[in-house]
């Protein structure tokens, strides 16, 4: 419980302006942190595989993995060993010097994507900022980028402007110009929005933050065709859907399409901050020394984790992710409850949309009380992003907890 001046008699301070909390108040009430997150009142202090442990050593099933970050679970022995080894050698060196581990991870990403060149940064929003800069530099006088409504690309000014959710812009205007938002999944809307000032189209292959929205089957292919026809770039934001989450290295590979730029972060280093922007050679060519950079980008510890993750994510692992994802999805579908409207997604990126009137946040809170951690998006979608290492036992226990919670809602 958070103590307030009212619950702590005699401790009320005397701020000059009674409506303003002071520094002393914040220290006393444990609110030194900016209150920009609606945090659950649970604190985790330890993680092991698919489980998290709170301050009372209570064990939780982690069906969120950070938010699609810790794909290989917590405290993974191989990733841990790689980071520990690096920790004992070198923590940081500037990007003014050669880095063999960065080059190695870049090669793995180049091989997996079929693209040519990689820039490392520290987060998803930065990976997208880089993609936006690459597209503009490549596009020369063409400066516009078409993005999708409901899309999410990050919180910094460029990627926030690309983000097709006006509610997230409130209070932060003016937005960066150069983004045209069109309905997701609608190729005709892209065609209608296009003119000769457009340099690129940027979308998530599966929209994550807006509720695990899978576009129509031919959408990504139609985008590819359209981009080829007009010689513009196709950028896939794979920050959430990439790194094996859907059972392919990149979600867009399900459709057999190729991107010109791919952005990655979340799952790439299993929890150590790392982002990447992968691009075609002729885009890489315009990004000469001095055009872009990052002090921390490609940090040795993060790259060590990234190299371990990329090695673990072999074809066998990808098929396992897809198979276990299907088992989880089928288990939820077969519940046959009148409270669920739709179950959708791919691999281990799953959304459960409830019928109107059932609050996903309420379900998530009740699941947390049953020791299960899940995410939500919007009012009615429960978001499941479990680690790749879950087993049928964890699926069964999740489903039991969900049935239990739904019966009480
Ligand atoms: C989370 C997310 C981002 C932003 O990543 P950060 O690391 O939080 O900056 C961008 N795009 C997509 C698709 C995401 O899911």
């Amino acid at each position: 419980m958070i103590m307030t001046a009212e619950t702590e008699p005699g401790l009320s301070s005397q701020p000059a302006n009674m409506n303003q909390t002071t520094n002393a108040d914040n220290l006393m009430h444990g609110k030194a942190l900016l209150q920009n997150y609606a945090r659950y009142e649970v604190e985790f202090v330890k993680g092991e595989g698919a489980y998290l442990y709170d301050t009372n050593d209570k064990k939780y099933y982690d069906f969120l993995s950070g938010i699609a970050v810790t794909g290989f679970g917590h405290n993974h022995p191989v990733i841990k060993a790689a980071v520990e080894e690096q920790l004992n050698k070198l923590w940081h060196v500037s990007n003014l010097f050669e880095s063999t581990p960065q080059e190695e991870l870049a090669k793995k990403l180049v091989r997996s994507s079929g693209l040519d060149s990689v820039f490392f940064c520290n987060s998803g929003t930065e990976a997208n900022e880089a993609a936006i800069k690459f597209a503009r530099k490549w596009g020369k006088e063409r400066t516009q980028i078409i993005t999708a409504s409901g899309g999410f690309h990050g919180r910094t000014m460029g990627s926030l402007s690309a983000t097709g959710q006006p509610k997230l812009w409130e209070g932060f205007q003016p937005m960066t110009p150069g983004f045209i938002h069109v309905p997701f999944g609608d190729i005709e809307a892209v065609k209608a929005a296009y003119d000769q000032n457009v340099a690129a189209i940027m979308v998530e292959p599966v929209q994550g933050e807006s509720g695990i929205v899978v576009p129509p089957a031919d959408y990504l292919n139609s985008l590819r065709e359209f981009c080829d026809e007009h010689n513009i770039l196709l950028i896939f934001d794979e920050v959430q859907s990439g790194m094996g989450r859907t059972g392919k290295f990149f979600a867009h590979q399900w459709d057999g399409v190729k991107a010109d730029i791919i952005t990655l972060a979340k799952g790439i280093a299993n929890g150590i901050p790392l982002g990447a922007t992968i691009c075609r050679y002729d885009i890489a060519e315009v990004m000469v020394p001095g055009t872009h950079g990052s002090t921390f980008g490609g940090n040795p510890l993060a790259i060590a984790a990234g190299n371990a993750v990329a090695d673990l994510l072999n074809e066998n692992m990808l098929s396992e992710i897809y198979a276990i994802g299907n088992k989880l999805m089928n288990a939820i579908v077969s519940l046959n409850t009148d409270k669920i409207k739709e179950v959708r997604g791919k691999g281990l990126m799953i959304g459960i949309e409830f019928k109107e009137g059932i609050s996903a946040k309420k379900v998530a809170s009740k699941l947390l009380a049953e020791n299960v951690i899940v995410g939500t998006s919007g009012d009615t979608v429960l978001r499941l992003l479990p680690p790749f290492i879950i087993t049928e036992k964890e699926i069964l226990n999740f489903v039991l907890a969900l049935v239990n919670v739904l019966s009480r809602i």
Side-chain angles (χ1 to χ4, degrees):
M1 180 183 168
I2 295 163
M3 299 297 274
T4 64
E6 290 82 74
T7 57
E8 278 183 291
L11 281 178
S12 104
S13 55
Q14 307 263 298
N17 174 347
M18 293 302 282
N19 294 323
Q20 215 174 305
T21 47
T22 63
N23 175 301
D25 277 340
N26 286 346
L27 291 178
M28 197 183 299
H29 303 142
K31 290 248 174 133
L33 280 173
L34 193 78
Q35 298 297 301
N36 60 321
Y37 302 109
R39 296 175 191 260
Y40 291 107
E41 287 185 3
V42 176
E43 179 170 354
F44 298 112
V45 290
K46 195 174 76 183
E48 193 62 50
Y51 299 96
L52 279 168
Y53 297 82
D54 73 5
T55 42
N56 300 316
D57 212 30
K58 199 163 112 182
K59 181 177 173 181
Y60 294 73
Y61 289 84
D62 184 3
F63 267 59
L64 189 56
S65 312
I67 300 177
V69 170
T70 51
F72 286 93
H74 303 281
N75 211 12
H76 190 286
V78 174
I79 303 170
K80 184 165 113 169
V83 175
E84 269 177 353
E85 195 192 330
Q86 187 61 47
L87 187 71
N88 290 319
K89 285 200 290 200
L90 179 68
W91 296 12
H92 174 81
V93 70
S94 92
N95 282 314
L96 299 172
F97 298 94
E98 297 285 348
S99 168
T100 303
Q102 280 188 5
E103 186 62 37
E104 272 171 24
L105 181 53
K107 279 201 182 108
K108 292 170 195 173
L109 296 177
V110 159
R111 251 182 246 124
S112 304
S113 63
L115 294 177
D116 303 296
S117 202
V118 181
F119 167 74
F120 287 116
C121 53
N122 310 283
S123 65
T125 201
E126 285 174 76
N128 287 328
E129 293 291 344
I132 293 163
K133 282 182 72 176
F134 291 12
R136 284 190 175 178
K137 191 100 168 81
W138 177 89
K140 298 200 181 82
E141 62 286 350
R142 296 181 296 172
T143 57
Q144 305 289 303
I145 298 176
I146 296 176
T147 70
S149 305
F152 183 82
H153 302 295
R155 299 283 194 167
T156 53
M157 286 315 302
S159 65
L160 180 63
S161 304
T163 292
Q165 301 188 49
K167 65 175 190 291
L168 300 181
W169 305 339
E170 271 167 37
F172 304 112
Q173 271 111 342
M175 306 315 292
T176 304
F179 297 98
I180 305 164
H181 300 93
V182 299
F184 185 58
D186 181 350
I187 186 68
E188 294 309 319
V190 169
K191 291 180 183 167
Y194 175 81
D195 65 26
Q196 75 279 10
N197 297 316
V198 171
I201 299 172
M202 176 172 177
V203 295
E204 296 157 80
V206 177
Q207 286 189 338
E209 296 301 306
S210 58
I212 318 293
V213 184
V214 184
D218 58 350
Y219 182 58
L220 302 186
N221 273 292
S222 305
L223 289 178
R224 178 72 272 169
E225 261 172 49
F226 188 78
C227 288
D228 289 343
E229 207 175 297
H230 296 277
N231 185 31
I232 60 173
L233 303 178
L234 182 54
I235 306 171
F236 285 136
D237 178 346
E238 292 261 11
V239 168
Q240 187 161 158
S241 56
M243 297 310 294
R245 180 52 51 189
T246 68
K248 293 268 189 200
F249 203 98
F250 302 103
H252 68 268
Q253 291 172 331
W254 282 111
D255 294 5
V257 295
K258 216 173 141 184
D260 302 312
I261 300 179
I262 300 168
T263 59
L264 286 173
K266 293 201 165 90
I268 189 173
N270 212 66
I272 309 217
L274 182 66
T277 309
I278 317 171
C279 66
R280 214 169 63 190
Y281 73 94
D282 58 313
I283 303 163
E285 251 172 21
V286 302
M287 298 306 293
V288 297
T291 51
H292 196 53
S294 163
T295 297
F296 287 127
N299 167 271
L301 300 176
I303 293 287
N307 268 309
V309 166
D311 291 343
L312 288 167
L313 212 52
N314 53 30
E315 281 306 318
N316 197 24
M317 187 70 221
L318 291 169
S319 330
E320 277 176 34
I321 293 167
Y322 186 62
I324 198 82
N326 270 349
K327 277 184 186 149
L328 175 55
M329 214 169 331
N330 289 338
I332 303 161
V333 168
S334 66
L335 286 184
N336 228 341
T337 151
D338 60 357
K339 292 181 173 133
I340 293 176
K341 186 172 156 195
E342 191 185 25
V343 185
R344 56 184 182 241
K346 238 174 214 165
L348 284 171
M349 187 174 182
I350 299 172
I352 306 176
E353 182 168 1
F354 296 114
K355 296 250 170 81
E356 219 170 301
I358 297 178
S359 153
K361 289 212 162 64
K362 204 164 167 185
V363 175
S365 294
K366 287 192 183 295
L367 278 170
L368 189 63
E370 302 280 322
N371 303 354
V372 179
I373 304 159
V374 296
T376 60
S377 30
D379 295 332
T380 55
V381 181
L382 205 67
R383 194 154 51 135
L384 308 182
L385 301 160
F388 309 153
I389 52 166
I390 55 159
T391 61
E392 295 194 40
K393 177 182 153 229
E394 277 111 25
I395 290 182
L396 182 66
N397 282 316
F398 166 78
V399 170
L400 289 175
L402 182 64
V403 169
N404 184 1
V405 164
L406 287 181
S407 73
R408 291 185 279 118
I409 260 189

